[in-house]
Amino acid sequence: MMKCEPASNPEAMRLALSTGRMSRVGFRAALEAIPERARDGFIDRVFGLEDLPQDGPELPRGCVPYLPTPVNALLKMIDCAGLSSSDVFVDLGAGLGRTLALIHFLTGANAIGIEIQSELVRGSRELASRLNARDISVIEGDAVELARELTTGSVFFLYCPFSGDRLERVIDDLEPMARQRAIRVCSVDLPLPSRRWLTPLSLSSDLAVYRGGA
């Protein structure tokens, strides 16, 4: 396994990830060795995402402009939701694919994103290609319309992509899946509407993890 100095050499980590020479355990250990306040900037350098694009005209009214999910929140979510390589992780509002890449390389899970802005879709696909991550895919379209189609998903993630009626619709569209099998629904900085089929696993000021289904 490749030994590197992650805090001082993001290029070395990118190479190690893209060539399969860094294990999931090694990647997490490298991240946790970096001071918490520096992790987001470091990951942006590893992934080559230091220049964020402007939001495009496809962003519907009521949707939140692109904002990367904090690394620390994702590490906490992985633990609270028990994410593993057997999961299919679905990011509703995938942006540039940063969360997809982190979840995939930290857990081994297949990662699928839905993103409505074409420029962000292009960027996320380029990131997956840059990291040689064949188990990351991004669908262009509205998550409100497409979430119910991703029936292979086992973990659904939202970082403030929308609220109000749009959020209510997505949560209701996930219920039929939960009736067939257990899923988890995770949100960062976004209170979810109350539903009987959603059982809280972990609730804090910034992260909510729910279990749904049998």
Side-chain angles (χ1 to χ4, degrees):
M1 206 57 64
M2 181 175 180
K3 185 177 180 180
C4 60
E5 297 295 335
S8 60
N9 197 341
E11 292 79 12
M13 181 175 282
R14 184 189 310 157
L15 179 62
L17 291 170
S18 64
T19 56
R21 288 187 286 160
M22 175 167 278
S23 69
R24 289 171 240 161
V25 172
F27 184 33
R28 177 145 188 173
L31 279 182
E32 291 180 338
I34 299 167
E36 289 189 9
R37 294 177 63 180
R39 289 172 186 168
D40 289 295
F42 174 72
I43 281 297
D44 286 341
R45 293 191 296 277
V46 171
F47 291 167
L49 298 176
E50 296 174 83
D51 297 320
L52 300 182
Q54 297 294 317
D55 290 294
E58 306 97 332
L59 189 68
R61 178 174 295 183
C63 288
V64 177
Y66 171 62
L67 185 66
T69 308
V71 170
N72 295 331
L74 292 176
L75 292 174
K76 184 177 178 181
M77 183 192 71
I78 288 170
D79 294 338
C80 292
L83 262 157
S84 72
S85 59
S86 64
D87 281 307
V88 176
F89 176 84
V90 179
D91 187 356
L92 304 175
L96 284 172
R98 183 178 184 264
T99 292
L100 296 173
L102 276 165
I103 293 298
H104 171 66
F105 284 109
L106 285 167
T107 70
N110 283 11
I112 303 171
I114 304 176
E115 174 55 54
I116 198 167
Q117 298 194 64
S118 56
E119 186 68 12
L120 297 181
V121 172
R122 182 187 63 79
S124 61
R125 289 173 176 168
E126 288 178 353
L127 173 61
S129 177
R130 190 157 61 243
L131 295 173
N132 196 29
R134 297 181 179 86
D135 291 327
I136 294 175
S137 58
V138 182
I139 301 167
E140 183 170 352
D142 189 346
V144 174
E145 301 294 335
L146 297 175
R148 64 181 178 271
E149 304 295 332
L150 295 182
T151 56
T152 60
S154 59
V155 180
F156 292 83
F157 175 72
L158 305 97
Y159 179 36
C160 294
F162 35 66
S163 59
D165 291 342
R166 291 173 64 82
L167 177 60
E168 297 259 357
R169 179 176 168 185
V170 166
I171 296 303
D172 289 338
D173 282 347
L174 296 180
E175 183 178 2
M177 295 183 210
R179 292 187 180 278
Q180 299 296 320
R181 57 191 171 79
I183 65 173
R184 282 146 289 162
V185 182
C186 309
S187 65
V188 171
D189 292 336
L190 178 68
L192 297 185
S194 177
R195 294 294 187 271
R196 289 185 178 181
W197 63 274
L198 285 174
T199 301
L201 294 177
S202 177
L203 298 177
S204 64
S205 60
D206 62 338
L207 173 69
V209 177
Y210 295 85
R211 182 181 183 272

